[in-house]
Amino acid sequence: MIIKIAESIHAGAIRDIYAPFIQDGFVTFETQVPEVEDFEKRIAHYTERYPWLVMEEDGVVLGYAYASAYRERVAYQWVVECSVYVHGDHQKKGIAAKLYEALFDLLRLQGLYKVYAVITAPNPQSVGFHERMGFTWFATYENVGYKAGKWCDVGWWQLTLTEPDNSIPSAPIPFPQLDNSAVDNILKKYST
């Protein structure tokens, strides 16, 4: 299994992995499956600043993970949100963990300090996974989303990538400006 940077050619496979999460539950609050072109635009937009990774085996995308802006205000530039999705046929194989480990190493390389995971409750599988990855719960927004005839809570978990100190931090490095060899080394490290 190989971890790669997502490109537009992966958009269809990413959409196919994501669609059941929209249609069959409350993992995401999206209610309509986006078109492949929408995913092409998302990949292009998100990777202007942050990594979007895919795990492939024999050319087949098994899962993906990405980071996105937490908020747009400049003071929030050192924190991001993260997401990971794995195809239903390939869960429980360590794919999500490898994708997150690579993603977090890349985010550290960029100079980011904290990453948030937003989880619709109840979702013990996702909560357990994120807590095994080192995330800790810090807030619940009650009845914040309405989907499929039901009000849902959303929990927030956080992971500190780097402890801030009292110095003035440098602005994070946009993902495309990272050293290619350093990125390649991280991707190889977590490919199996």
Side-chain angles (χ1 to χ4, degrees), residues 11-86:
I14 288 170
R15 178 188 182 270
D16 292 345
I17 291 168
Y18 188 54
F21 293 99
I22 296 170
Q23 298 163 331
D24 301 329
F26 302 93
V27 170
T28 176
F29 282 166
E30 284 200 66
T31 57
Q32 300 294 318
V33 177
E35 299 295 327
V36 172
E37 295 79 21
D38 295 323
F39 276 99
E40 291 173 350
K41 290 175 186 172
R42 289 179 190 189
I43 292 167
H45 174 69
Y46 288 12
T47 56
E48 289 174 359
R49 291 173 60 189
Y50 306 111
W52 188 319
L53 307 176
V54 294
M55 173 81 78
E56 285 186 348
E57 185 173 50
D58 300 324
V60 175
V61 177
L62 308 178
Y64 66 94
Y66 63 93
S68 58
Y70 167 67
R71 297 279 189 266
E72 291 302 322
R73 303 263 194 282
V74 172
Y76 292 120
Q77 67 183 305
W78 293 276
V79 298
V80 294
E81 288 185 40
C82 65
S83 295
V84 64
Y85 291 92
V86 175

Side-chain angles (χ1 to χ4, degrees), residues 58-121:
D58 300 324
V60 175
V61 177
L62 308 178
Y64 66 94
Y66 63 93
S68 58
Y70 167 67
R71 297 279 189 266
E72 291 302 322
R73 303 263 194 282
V74 172
Y76 292 120
Q77 67 183 305
W78 293 276
V79 298
V80 294
E81 288 185 40
C82 65
S83 295
V84 64
Y85 291 92
V86 175
H87 189 284
D89 293 341
H90 300 284
Q91 293 182 2
K92 306 284 186 190
K93 296 180 181 179
I95 293 168
K98 292 286 185 189
L99 284 164
Y100 259 4
E101 289 168 343
L103 180 69
F104 299 157
D105 277 2
L106 292 169
L107 295 172
R108 284 184 194 95
L109 191 61
Q110 287 185 258
L112 293 157
Y113 286 78
K114 192 170 285 201
V115 60
Y116 296 117
V118 182
I119 304 170
T120 306

